[in-house]
Amino acid sequence: MTSGSMGSSPRRPDGWAKVTGTFAFSSDLSMPGMLWGATVRSPHPRARIVGIDVSGALALEGVRAALTHLDVPGAPCYGLELRDQPVLAATEVRYEGEPVAVVAADDPDLARRAAEAVLVTYAPLTPIVDAEAAARGEGEAVHAGRPNLLRHVPVRRGDPNVEAPVVVTGEYEVGMQDQAFLGPESGVAYPADDGGVDLHVATQWLHVDRDQIASCLGLEPERVRLTLAGVGGAFGGREDISMQIHACLLALRTGRPVKMVYRREESFRGHVHRHPARLWYEHGATRDGRLVYVRARIVLDGGAYASSSMAVAANAATLGVGPYRVPNVRMDSYVVYTNNPPCGAMRGFGAVQACFGYESQMDRLAHACGLDPVELRRRNAMTTGDLMPTGQVVEGPAPVAELLRMVAERPAAPRTTAFGASGGHTTRGEGVVRGVGYGVGIKNVCFSEGFDDFSTARVRLELRDGRPVVTVHTAAAEVGQGLVTVQGQIARSELGVPDVVVAPADTAVGSAGSSSASRQTYVTGGAVQAACQAVRRQVEATTGEPYDPTALPRLLARTGAVEETVRWHHRPTKGLDPQTGQGDAHVQFAFAAHRATVEVDVELGTVRVVEIVTAQDVGRAVHPQAILGQIHGGTVQGLGLALMEEIQVTDGGIRNPSFTDYLIPTIMDVPQMRVELLELADPHSPYGLRGVGEPPAISSAPAVVAAVRAATGVELSRVPIRPHDVVWGAGR
Amino acid sequence: MTFHSPTRWADALAVRAEHPQAVPIAGGTDAMVELNSGRRRPDRLLDLSRIAEVSGWDTDGGTVRAGAGITHTAIVAQLAESAPALAQAASTVGSPQIRNRATLGGNIATASPAGDTLPTLLACGAAVELHSVGGARTVALADFVTGPKRTQLAPDELIAAVLFPAATGPQHFSKVGVRAAMIIAVCSFAVALFPDRRSVGTGIGAAAPTPRAAVEAQDFAAEVLPWDSLGHLDPAVAGYFGDLVAKAADPIDDVRGTAQYRRHALAVIARRALIWAWDDLRGAVPCG
Ligand SMILES: Cc1cc2nc3c(=O)[nH]c(=O)nc-3n(C[C@H](O)[C@H](O)[C@H](O)COP(=O)(O)OP(=O)(O)OC[C@H]3O[C@@H](n4cnc5c(N)ncnc54)[C@H](O)[C@@H]3O)c2cc1C
């Protein structure tokens, strides 16, 4: 086997540079003659714009441009699903921080001052912030002429009026989580001789950015060229446009390269967040704990613009009863417009919110039936051949009971206290109680509901100095997950050539789709595999000899460079019936289970996590070390949601837009982590692999909360848990 | 922007006298945050980080004089015996990187209600030594801090040192936060026992416009602690001490917590800290 092939854990090509601090992130880019851009943002969550006066900015020496909505040459709005978001607000602002004007100046500080010198006159309006009212169709419209209800996804299965001897109900709340990536939104745009523009930017999907930019600039897509710059984390927060169009507008206007880098506070207002949610659940079961029905209503607050809200609502609806067999389901998932911060994609994408609801309910049901929480889940665990509430048959392995067994059978967590030397010296054991909790979750992999989801790979095989070298070129965004390494591994495995170069991702090759939905190893991996196979076939066809890696110097001397470009689709999905929510909407399901052990200081209400065990089916472990990284990171992101991560919003305004008060776990908060993998091949996916990135981020929060409940006996119905919730009993 | 970087204290005082608008910068861990955010745009900085004269500490046995430039890392390593609560507080500041840069003088000059070293210094009855080209004065820390992020520092003065009595008994510092590190206190508390004087010092953090002592609580404890017998501390006494500490606070609701929770948590950590301090004292004295 060629070293560095699939199943081994070769080093990342960018690993050394990242560890030693020499890797260039998008915020490190620089060009000669470069200007700096800055954005004028609304201080109001909702206001009419009475006037915009840029003369004060232009009067400053060294300020080269100050642009408003009047300077947008193409379409005034962009958006992933609905083009509802203005490039620059014209008549009304709909969220705090909405861009109203952009400036370019000789240095970053001057650009900031110029932004402050733009005079915008607002007539503030009362912000519409009640998502539940919006879901009921009440209140003023956030977008005149459009209902605030963006999408309602009903799912109906079985008998709507069925009854059950054991019934548990619950109402839950999920706070607004942030992706909290460290690399702020940034990039450099420079004008090209053909009247077009080049942009180097940190993003998750180059082509969908390009299409939105081109449309708003009034350019043909070919004249907008994007290259992926170093991405400092994404987690969904870079699926939407941030500074892309603004930087291009400024570059085209000034004829000079323009760099934009958000500051931290600006970043918190400059990207979408995870939808905060309210969830109502009613579970009916037999006395021995077998689910008879689930009725649920989920309200997601989409904020001011649509972003990917409609798909998030569909995920919450279709995955909203969890990885369980439920014969009768009545589910209604709603996503609405408000004047709160816009929400969109974040790791887990609708499945996270629902999982907190259904897993909390499974614990309640276990209690009501007098069953152990693992046993209750095991009795209802779905398996291959079962039906989703959408009527879709779960094909391929669905080892839900097995994953639960794996986490439950691990030895108990070590006795050493998590309130140890670190932390605030608040206890020597007083008030400290332990608890153990479980969670299991389900996530769809790849894009759903009939979306034409594909990736493109160009693979070139040639001799360089007499040695065969493979170049893999895709537009797939490396956002830290390790896709660059995986692409190389696949090429080495398929072609038997150790020397593989992964070319920089750009729009010179076809779309790879988004680095989201746990899909890139599946879809771009599939495209690389297919392109490698096409290269092999071409070598064989041209030479008339079987492909043989050891004979490549001779074969390639005859063929010259061999290059193939393949567009690869996963098997198609279907839309959901708008009345019943029935349909084969998803490509693949992925599962993970967690067991969390926590310590709670019941007097102070503070929590430290002692250990988390995760079991996950990955289909095929292409790069075991990267998988471990994904599982550790995702699990900790869920821990963060359970205990600390929340954007606090009051009347549409963000109260904690900085890492001083938006808390993410530090290494001191990271517990002992044990990871168990299953590799049960999916017959439909390349190499049998299963998307890995999201599942670990879904059920860890419910597991941590369950552990806190087990320790304290307090009904915790909200994440993140706040210390006062534990002390005084949480409610909403 | 002009950047002054003196290596001698006298030169720093001279720059300060000549350019009172120059912003002093020691570790920069507060000052750079202000600059980066644009909240402050000074045209002059006065770097104090290269001045060895104020970065150490000494003691005559009774009183400790800690230079304003001593870092939190140095405090943890060197002052754990003479100022145990201060060292505990310093160990909870930020992360190792922050503690390596950030100074005691900077923490005091920032005068945040949540500044971690301040409650411990109040509990010891510390004073700050202020220098200018015109001379020196010493001000009780309790008087030096006049409001949230406000002090008595005159435009031509710099903090040279902090003076406090070396510990003669146990001290404890506790800080409540939802995260195990890198956390601004939701509330904090320090207690110091001085068995030689039979006095008790306290300090409350992040639960009033300034860090403050819980005077009634400390007087109560000094009065009722069984100094002679070194007997068991009645849990009811510790509980009442905690309640008095909570009463001394004047907290607000903010993104980090509610006023009600802060009061509650203060009562808990104050009670525990007094019990630990008393148990330490009893354990330290050979049984008769
Ligand atoms: C990530 C991070 C985490 C933090 N965590 C904590 C924490 O847990 N607890 C905590 O209490 N603080 C924390 N801080 C705040 C900060 O680190 C401390 O207040 C630190 O002690 C400040 O010291 P410094 O030397 O860096 O001060 P600088 O930033 O250099 O100065 C702070 C202020 O003091 C003035 N100043 C400095 N020295 C003198 C002097 N000798 N005379 C007069 N004025 C002077 C400066 O002009 C400035 O106004 C944190 C900061 C950061 C960035």
Side-chain angles (χ1 to χ4, degrees):
Chain A
M1 194 178 77
T2 312
S3 96
S5 300
M6 299 193 28
S8 66
S9 292
R11 284 196 185 170
R12 300 177 60 106
D14 55 1
W16 185 260
K18 281 179 170 167
V19 170
T20 56
T22 57
F23 181 82
F25 287 95
S26 54
S27 53
D28 299 319
L29 298 173
S30 172
M31 287 184 76
M34 180 174 88
L35 300 173
W36 292 76
T39 312
V40 180
R41 292 176 185 276
S42 166
H44 305 289
R46 182 172 179 232
R48 229 165 19 80
I49 298 175
V50 178
I52 309 173
D53 178 2
V54 298
S55 59
L58 290 171
L60 297 172
E61 191 177 328
V63 173
R64 309 294 164 185
L67 310 181
T68 70
H69 65 99
L70 297 172
D71 301 292
V72 178
C77 293
Y78 64 88
L80 287 171
E81 297 180 359
L82 271 183
R83 304 220 153 179
D84 63 349
Q85 188 155 1
V87 176
L88 292 167
T91 56
E92 188 177 343
V93 286
R94 296 187 180 85
Y95 72 97
E96 180 202 56
E98 177 158 2
V100 178
V102 287
V103 299
D106 290 352
D107 69 70
D109 195 50
L110 180 61
R112 268 201 236 170
R113 284 173 207 232
E116 287 166 20
V118 172
L119 201 71
V120 187
T121 314
Y122 298 97
L125 302 167
T126 308
I128 297 146
V129 295
D130 185 344
E132 287 164 59
R136 289 192 303 265
E138 297 166 14
E140 277 180 88
V142 173
H143 294 260
R146 261 186 239 167
N148 287 343
L149 179 58
L150 259 166
R151 188 175 182 191
H152 167 210
V153 186
V155 178
R156 301 283 181 266
R157 174 129 218 102
D159 175 357
N161 302 313
V162 64
E163 290 181 12
V166 183
V167 175
V168 292
T169 59
E171 187 176 338
Y172 304 95
E173 183 179 348
V174 176
M176 185 186 288
Q177 192 179 18
D178 190 76
Q179 299 82 357
F181 46 64
L182 295 188
E185 293 78 353
S186 44
V188 177
Y190 51 100
D193 293 337
D194 65 350
V197 63
D198 282 73
L199 174 68
H200 291 244
V201 68
T203 182
Q204 292 180 237
W205 188 354
L206 290 165
H207 284 78
V208 84
D209 279 9
R210 182 199 62 180
D211 292 348
Q212 292 175 90
I213 297 167
S215 143
C216 295
L217 295 178
L219 291 171
E220 307 82 69
E222 304 73 55
R223 288 210 286 165
V224 178
R225 288 161 293 261
L226 269 69
T227 304
L228 188 72
V231 181
F235 311 106
R238 293 187 209 273
E239 288 187 31
D240 295 75
I241 292 287
S242 58
M243 44 59 66
Q244 287 89 329
I245 302 173
H246 298 156
C248 292
L249 275 174
L250 289 167
L252 289 172
R253 176 61 73 99
T254 60
R256 295 183 43 188
V258 174
K259 172 169 176 170
M260 294 186 86
V261 182
Y262 286 2
R263 288 173 289 155
R264 183 61 58 195
E265 289 205 359
E266 189 175 22
S267 172
F268 271 106
R269 298 200 169 91
H271 62 253
V272 297
H273 316 287
R274 188 191 297 292
H275 290 74
R278 289 276 164 95
L279 311 98
W280 293 261
Y281 273 93
E282 179 179 319
H283 280 57
T286 59
R287 284 188 212 291
D288 63 350
R290 291 179 206 276
L291 286 170
V292 176
Y293 68 86
V294 173
R295 294 177 194 139
R297 174 182 155 91
I298 299 174
V299 175
L300 301 153
D301 187 345
Y305 294 103
S307 180
S308 47
S309 280
M310 282 82 85
V312 170
N315 266 14
T318 57
L319 307 172
V321 305
Y324 302 112
R325 229 179 350 246
V326 192
N328 305 288
V329 174
R330 195 178 76 211
M331 157 71 72
D332 292 282
S333 165
Y334 303 86
V335 66
V336 297
Y337 279 132
T338 63
N339 292 115
N340 286 320
C343 289
M346 181 172 171
R347 193 179 198 172
F349 204 81
V352 167
Q353 295 91 329
C355 187
F356 177 58
Y358 63 71
E359 285 299 84
S360 297
Q361 284 288 99
M362 292 306 270
D363 284 337
R364 277 194 190 173
L365 190 58
H367 184 75
C369 297
L371 284 172
D372 171 80
V374 175
E375 175 56 21
L376 184 276
R377 285 174 171 80
R378 201 192 55 74
R379 288 187 187 178
N380 294 287
M382 65 165 44
T383 185
T384 309
D386 282 337
L387 291 187
M388 295 291 289
T390 55
Q392 180 165 5
V393 179
V394 178
E395 297 175 58
V400 179
E402 174 70 0
L403 294 170
L404 278 164
R405 189 190 59 74
M406 289 163 80
V407 296
E409 286 182 359
R410 287 286 315 190
R415 294 309 310 171
T416 43
T417 176
F419 283 98
S422 77
H425 312 285
T426 48
T427 177
R428 287 178 169 180
E430 300 94 327
V432 175
V433 183
R434 259 183 196 223
V436 177
Y438 295 88
V440 58
I442 178 170
K443 179 71 186 42
N444 57 326
V445 174
C446 302
F447 282 22
S448 299
E449 294 189 81
F451 189 88
D452 181 22
D453 195 14
F454 64 86
S455 180
T456 316
R458 181 176 297 157
V459 171
R460 185 181 172 90
L461 175 59
E462 65 199 320
L463 289 179
R464 283 197 207 154
D465 300 328
R467 284 169 57 85
V469 176
V470 179
T471 305
V472 179
H473 187 186
T474 74
E478 167 61 48
V479 297
Q481 80 278 44
L483 185 71
V484 274
T485 327
V486 164
Q487 288 179 311
Q489 288 177 276
I490 292 175
R492 281 185 210 104
S493 298
E494 292 295 333
L495 294 173
V497 173
D499 279 354
V500 178
V501 179
V502 178
D506 58 28
T507 51
V509 62
S511 175
S514 183
S515 287
S516 59
S518 307
R519 67 179 279 290
Q520 280 297 26
T521 298
Y522 190 130
V523 189
T524 292
V528 172
Q529 178 191 29
C532 288
Q533 288 168 352
V535 164
R536 288 174 69 124
R537 283 195 301 273
Q538 202 192 312
V539 171
E540 288 177 346
T542 314
T543 61
E545 290 186 42
Y547 183 88
D548 175 2
T550 60
L552 278 178
R554 185 172 55 77
L555 297 176
L556 290 176
R558 285 171 59 197
T559 59
V562 178
E563 182 178 294
E564 289 288 344
T565 304
V566 173
R567 179 187 269 212
W568 189 85
H569 296 254
H570 60 66
R571 64 201 176 110
T573 58
K574 296 200 188 88
L576 294 169
D577 180 283
Q579 263 77 49
T580 64
Q582 299 296 296
D584 295 349
H586 299 307
V587 182
Q588 186 187 52
F589 298 103
F591 308 92
H594 289 96
R595 182 188 75 188
T597 305
V598 306
E599 284 182 350
V600 185
D601 182 330
V602 292
E603 282 190 288
L604 289 176
T606 45
V607 180
R608 299 282 186 266
V609 183
V610 179
E611 183 200 58
I612 301 187
V613 183
T614 310
Q616 186 169 333
D617 174 21
V618 300
R620 166 90 187 265
V622 178
H623 190 299
Q625 195 188 43
I627 286 175
L628 215 57
Q630 287 296 309
I631 293 176
H632 287 165
T635 300
V636 172
Q637 216 158 14
L639 182 161
L641 175 62
L643 298 179
M644 60 187 88
E645 295 195 34
E646 183 175 15
I647 300 230
Q648 297 184 40
V649 179
T650 304
D651 295 330
I654 298 183
R655 299 166 70 201
N656 56 337
S658 83
F659 284 135
T660 307
D661 288 308
Y662 183 84
L663 303 178
I664 55 177
T666 70
I667 195 68
M668 306 301 291
D669 299 279
V670 172
Q672 301 249 14
M673 294 212 268
R674 318 241 169 255
V675 176
E676 308 253 347
L677 297 185
L678 283 180
E679 293 187 71
L680 307 178
D682 180 332
H684 295 289
S685 69
Y687 309 111
L689 65 82
R690 204 174 281 283
V692 169
E694 290 170 290
I698 292 170
S699 46
S700 63
V704 168
V705 176
V708 178
R709 287 190 196 112
T712 61
V714 179
E715 271 309 323
L716 298 160
S717 56
R718 175 190 202 279
V719 283
I721 298 173
R722 297 158 302 197
H724 63 254
D725 296 336
V726 177
V727 173
W728 287 298
R732 293 180 36 184
Chain B
M1 180 190 284
T2 312
F3 191 72
H4 300 273
S5 195
T7 54
R8 296 183 335 147
W9 186 241
D11 294 342
L13 294 175
V15 174
R16 183 78 168 146
E18 197 181 336
H19 304 289
Q21 84 285 7
V23 172
I25 176 164
T29 59
D30 278 320
M32 287 309 296
V33 174
E34 296 270 300
L35 260 63
N36 281 334
S37 70
R39 279 192 290 273
R40 250 179 168 182
R41 285 187 172 129
D43 56 4
R44 246 170 232 282
L45 291 179
L46 170 54
D47 172 26
L48 304 177
S49 68
R50 278 159 239 269
I51 305 173
E53 288 157 78
V54 294
S55 63
W57 64 280
D58 56 52
T59 177
D60 60 8
T63 302
V64 178
R65 186 177 180 281
I70 192 168
T71 63
H72 295 295
T73 298
I75 291 172
V76 174
Q78 298 165 28
L79 294 181
E81 262 181 45
S82 53
L86 173 64
Q88 276 182 330
S91 77
T92 72
V93 170
S95 59
Q97 297 92 321
I98 295 292
R99 293 193 288 274
N100 287 340
R101 285 294 306 172
T103 65
L104 182 60
N107 201 235
I108 294 170
T110 293
S112 160
D116 281 324
T117 67
L118 281 83
T120 72
L121 294 171
L122 286 173
C124 298
V128 280
E129 190 181 303
L130 308 172
H131 289 187
S132 69
V133 286
R137 60 177 179 132
T138 302
V139 183
L141 178 65
D143 298 329
F144 179 69
V145 181
T146 55
K149 306 213 167 175
R150 283 202 304 274
T151 69
Q152 281 199 18
L153 189 76
D156 65 341
E157 282 180 327
L158 291 171
I159 301 173
V162 186
L163 304 165
F164 52 86
T168 60
Q171 302 182 352
H172 282 285
F173 171 76
S174 292
K175 166 176 171 179
V176 177
V178 300
R179 187 157 78 174
M182 287 284 276
I183 184 85
I184 297 184
V186 173
C187 61
S188 64
F189 179 73
V191 66
L193 301 187
F194 292 94
D196 52 329
R197 303 188 247 128
R198 298 195 167 187
S199 75
V200 176
T202 58
I204 295 172
T210 65
R212 59 164 68 154
V215 178
E216 207 183 325
Q218 64 195 31
D219 290 351
F220 163 76
E223 179 75 33
V224 303
L225 283 173
W227 299 101
D228 284 321
S229 68
L230 285 181
H232 195 70
L233 174 59
D234 181 349
V237 166
Y240 188 61
F241 174 80
D243 292 343
L244 288 177
V245 168
K247 213 177 103 192
D250 183 13
I252 55 167
D253 288 341
D254 66 14
V255 287
R256 292 171 203 145
T258 63
Q260 187 194 16
Y261 174 75
R262 287 187 157 103
R263 256 188 225 283
H264 164 82
L266 266 178
V268 173
I269 59 176
R271 163 171 39 90
R272 290 179 183 174
L274 185 68
I275 292 171
W276 301 337
W278 190 252
D279 286 351
D280 290 354
L281 184 67
R282 297 177 71 216
V285 179
C287 301

